[in-house]
Amino acid sequence: MIRYALSSFLVALSVADLAYAVSMTTHSYAVYPVHYCTPIITAATMALVAVLQFYNKKKGLRTSGPLFMFWFCLALLGAVAFRYQIRAAQSDTPSDPYYFHISYILFYMVVLAQFILTFFIE
């Protein structure tokens, strides 16, 4: 149940990122196409993860190898971006609004929680 809630939170966070990019466009800030594409791809990926979690539970699988590898790779490779976001938020002159830093930090914390939860049978 916690896994579904965390996956839903990640989808909602991606949708919020997309909404924030759209709102920045309406206020005539410089918004690049990556701010539109990334949340859409992330939301679709996390929705697929939620479907796979539901399917595994329905079929009686206790653990899932592909989901473990997905969370492992996302946690391992996301550490570099997490470090960058922390350092960029602490700089004297931040180049981006703080929303993108906070959003990624929340995203990475939930990814780590999902990775840790893959070690436990639900």
Side-chain angles (χ1 to χ4, degrees):
M1 191 61 147
I2 292 175
R3 293 179 188 178
Y4 302 126
L6 291 176
S7 295
S8 299
F9 177 75
L10 290 174
V11 171
L13 188 63
S14 298
V15 170
D17 288 347
L18 181 63
Y20 185 74
V22 169
S23 74
M24 284 185 63
T25 302
T26 59
H27 296 312
S28 51
Y29 287 104
V31 179
Y32 301 103
V34 72
H35 290 114
Y36 297 116
C37 296
T38 302
I40 293 170
I41 293 170
T42 304
T45 303
M46 295 306 152
L48 178 63
V49 165
V51 168
L52 285 174
Q53 288 173 340
F54 176 76
Y55 180 75
N56 286 340
K57 186 162 180 105
K58 182 180 174 186
K59 292 295 182 181
L61 269 71
R62 295 183 180 203
T63 58
S64 174
L67 284 177
F68 172 78
M69 289 303 297
F70 172 75
W71 292 120
F72 175 72
C73 290
L74 201 57
L76 183 67
L77 299 175
V80 176
F82 179 71
R83 182 177 181 268
Y84 169 76
Q85 293 294 337
I86 294 290
R87 293 191 59 151
Q90 290 176 344
S91 70
D92 293 335
T93 57
S95 59
D96 291 334
Y98 283 113
Y99 175 78
F100 294 118
H101 302 300
I102 294 170
S103 172
Y104 189 79
I105 291 168
L106 285 173
F107 177 82
Y108 190 70
M109 290 297 126
V110 174
V111 165
L112 288 180
Q114 285 275 38
F115 177 61
I116 291 169
L117 285 175
T118 58
F119 293 107
F120 301 105
I121 296 174
E122 190 174 345

